[in-house]
């Protein structure tokens, strides 16, 4: 899951009496909800790509309820986490002015799909282009400039990503980064922790390295976040950490496949 919406529930007792229809909730209502928000953002920012709109919705989402308490996962009877709520619940007001976005071109998805070991025929079917090849593919699927991060520790316990942020707010913006990680992970920001954007649509790269440090339960996921702020806006990306391989019913599959197919 990438994002939550404030789904609308129409109670059967009321609706059946007055309108003669049943109740609708969950994806039945969240889909038109998020579609409407997407249309709103596109109308406000016609030049934004679908990925820019998705970034705005995800990085401005919230993860606390109206009592300022963390979301609860009713299914598990415990605190929710990014596997359940993604980046959080959409905030239409904040999404209109996120200050920074992670943009992705349609061409970037081709090496991403190839890095997930799809065959060339499968990639051609997905992108509907017969001339596509996998001559270029990411060494790690995390190279996709996505607004959330998955860190899968394998052999050496070190994962490094370089991401690109684009300023969509105002000229002369200054943003700083705050990174929150569990105690079992150390983090190094190899690029400046303070960015200056001279004009709108300026882009800046940053590189972050995650290193396994200390004891951890290797069978469990852990979570953190990367937050960029200009003092007025916050652009927050969830980070999920995993040490093991997940197996589906049909075949073995790294968490990368599950992460991007289901988030």
């Amino acid at each position: 899951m990438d994002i939550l919406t404030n789904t609308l529930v129409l109670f059967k007792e009321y609706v059946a009496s007055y309108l003669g229809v049943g109740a609708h909730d969950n994806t039945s209502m969240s889909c038109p909800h998020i579609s409407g928000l997407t249309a709103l953002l596109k109308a406000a920012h016609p030049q934004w790509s679908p990925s820019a709109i998705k970034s705005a919705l995800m990085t401005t989402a919230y993860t606390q309820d109206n009592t300022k308490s963390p979301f609860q996962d009713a299914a598990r009877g415990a605190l929710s986490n990014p596997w359940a709520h993604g980046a959080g619940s959409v905030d239409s007001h904040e999404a209109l002015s996120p200050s920074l976005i992670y943009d992705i071109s349609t061409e970037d998805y081709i090496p991403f799909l190839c890095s997930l070991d799809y065959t060339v025929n499968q990639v051609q079917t997905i992108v509907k282009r017969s001339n596509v090849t996998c001559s270029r593919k990411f060494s790690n699927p995390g190279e996709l400039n996505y607004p959330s991060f998955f860190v899968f520790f394998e052999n050496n316990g070190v994962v490094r990503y370089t991401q690109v942020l684009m300023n969509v707010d105002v000229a002369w913006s200054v943003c700083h980064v705050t990174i929150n990680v569990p105690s079992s992970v150390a983090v190094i920001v190899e690029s400046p922790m303070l960015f200056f954007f001279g004009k709108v649509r300026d882009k800046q790269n940053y590189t972050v390295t995650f290193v396994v440090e200390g004891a951890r339960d290797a069978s469990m996921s852990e979570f953190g976040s990367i937050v960029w702020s200009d003092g007025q806006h916050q652009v927050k990306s969830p980070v999920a950490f995993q040490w093991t391989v997940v197996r589906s019913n049909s075949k073995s599959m790294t968490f990368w496949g599950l992460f991007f197919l289901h988030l």
Side-chain angles (χ1 to χ4, degrees), residues 61-123:
Y62 57 90
T63 56
Q64 293 182 326
D65 61 25
N66 57 5
T67 68
K68 303 300 181 183
S69 300
F71 286 163
Q72 293 284 324
D73 185 346
R76 298 187 303 117
L79 291 178
S80 182
N81 62 50
W83 290 146
H85 62 238
S89 186
V90 290
D91 185 325
S92 56
H93 177 72
E94 294 296 328
L96 281 168
S97 180
S99 73
L100 302 173
I101 58 170
Y102 294 88
D103 204 5
I104 306 172
S105 72
T106 53
E107 292 299 314
D108 289 333
Y109 279 100
I110 295 173
F112 166 72
L113 291 171
C114 292
S115 72
L116 291 177
D117 292 330
Y118 284 97
T119 67
V120 172
N121 286 339
Q122 289 171 329
V123 175

